[in-house]
């Protein structure tokens, strides 16, 4: 697998131009009458954007430098768009419509309801957290996610006392997502789940943004799950349904390959995948090899969830 490192002249203008210069250009254009009513409206909307959100000091940096934005948004596992080529996903998301977007809340809840994602973004306090992100395939990144604690969403859903698990379902739109037709043997839509106490853990996040901007389509726009102590496939993208259950739900990769992908899927360097070691990860994009820490470095937050039950690692 080859990752392209952009040449100096390929960096986007906002990275090449200091923000003050960029803003001055906008003010200048405005004064010169180049930005009509529409431009002014766009500028007003821009100023109300919740991005970039304030970084949570507890998660201000990972133990490795933040991955370059072009790499984290250009190397994606999103099988609904391309099941074979991670670098092609970003080029296949053009037809994917991510606004408006609603999420159905169902199963063991006091009242079934529909949540509007734009309203969630407007009303919940967004924050940025830098997390390590480790794929089961042994590559890793360090990513600044924007979103809110998953516990806030669970509280809004108001589960009944007998709810013990939360199950996510991803959108299923074969006409906008070419990978669904290309790999029609997969049990679409993608579905994942967590135990309810895992979902309530302060580390679990619902993400709507990346690198201080709304989530790009290839990274799961407009809303996805992030659980940094688990392998990346637990982090369902572009979710449209949240369901609460009393029994442990089936998950997409477990259904396909039960001996390779368990329900818990916590990052564990001592438990090799049947086909490769999990002791090291390779950092995208330059593939430096570093030891993988237990629970991806988050034992302090989540170790207590699995105490005394080594099978659940
Ligand atoms: N969600 C959906 N709907 N479809 C997918 O194929 N891939 C998973 C996860 N969520 C996947 C998904 C896997 S295997 C990984 S590693 C991460 O998304 C990748 O997220 P990223 O592209 O933002 O790095």
């Amino acid at each position: 697998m080859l990752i392209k490192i952009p040449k100096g002249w390929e960096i986007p203008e906002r990275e090449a131009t200091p923000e003050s210069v960029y803003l001055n250009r906008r003010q200048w254009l405005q004064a010169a009458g180049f930005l009509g009513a529409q431009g002014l409206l766009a500028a007003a909307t821009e100023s109300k954007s919740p991005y970039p959100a304030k970084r949570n000091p507890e998660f201000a940096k990972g133990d490795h430098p933040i991955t370059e934005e072009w790499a984290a948004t250009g190397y994606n596992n999103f099988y609904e768009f391309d099941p074979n080529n991670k670098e092609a996903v970003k080029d296949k998301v053009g037809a994917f419509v991510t606004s408006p977007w609603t999420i159905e809340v169902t199963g063991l809840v006091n009242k079934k309801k529909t949540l509007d994602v734009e309203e969630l973004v407007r009303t919940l306090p967004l924050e940025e957290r830098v997390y390590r992100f480790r794929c089961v395939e042994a590559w890793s990144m360090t990513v600044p996610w924007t979103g809110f604690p998953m516990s806030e969403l669970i509280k809004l859903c108001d589960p009944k006392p007998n709810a013990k698990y939360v199950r996510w379902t991803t959108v299923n739109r074969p006409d906008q997502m070419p990978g669904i037709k290309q790999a029609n043997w997969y049990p679409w839509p993608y579905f994942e789940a967590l135990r309810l106490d895992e979902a309530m853990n302060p580390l679990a996040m619902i993400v709507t943004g990346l690198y201080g901007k709304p989530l790009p389509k290839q990274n799961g726009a407009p809303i996805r799950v992030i659980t940094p102590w688990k392998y990346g496939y637990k982090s369902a993208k572009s979710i449209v349904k949240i369901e609460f259950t009393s029994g442990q739900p089936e998950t997409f990769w477990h259904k396909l390959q039960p001996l390779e992908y368990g329900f818990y899927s916590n990052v564990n360097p001592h438990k090799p995948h049947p086909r490769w070691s999990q002791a090291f990860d390779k950092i995208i994009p330059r593939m430096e090899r570093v030891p993988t820490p237990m629970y991806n470095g988050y034992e302090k937050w989540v170790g207590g969830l699995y105490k005394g039950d080594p099978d659940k690692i």
Side-chain angles (χ1 to χ4, degrees), residues 76-80 133 135 170 190 219 224 232-233 235 237:
N76 303 99
N77 267 338
F78 206 161
Y79 280 54
E80 289 89 328
F133 186 64
C135 179
T170 283
Y190 195 93
N219 292 89
R224 71 175 295 177
Y233 64 87
S235 300
K237 292 170 159 184

Side-chain angles (χ1 to χ4, degrees), residues 134 136-138 269 271-280 289:
R134 168 68 154 80
V136 74
E137 297 164 334
K271 190 173 167 190
H273 183 277
R275 288 182 282 138
W276 57 83
S277 161
Q278 295 290 24
F280 291 86
R289 199 164 170 267

Side-chain angles (χ1 to χ4, degrees), residues 50-57 126-129 145-147:
Y51 304 97
K54 199 165 174 282
R55 191 171 287 182
N56 180 333
L126 296 193
E127 58 175 272
E128 184 177 74
R129 297 186 185 186
W145 305 104
T146 306

Side-chain angles (χ1 to χ4, degrees), residues 109-158:
V109 285
N110 287 316
K111 194 165 171 281
K112 295 187 175 152
K113 60 178 107 176
T114 302
L115 299 172
D116 178 74
V117 169
E118 273 159 32
E119 200 181 320
L120 292 179
V121 169
R122 242 193 343 265
T123 52
L124 290 174
L126 296 193
E127 58 175 272
E128 184 177 74
R129 297 186 185 186
V130 177
Y131 278 164
R132 268 175 70 94
F133 186 64
R134 168 68 154 80
C135 179
V136 74
E137 297 164 334
W139 53 261
S140 70
M141 299 184 186
T142 299
V143 183
W145 305 104
T146 306
F148 44 86
M150 193 178 283
S151 58
E152 295 289 328
L153 182 70
I154 304 288
K155 278 184 233 155
L156 274 180
C157 297
D158 193 16

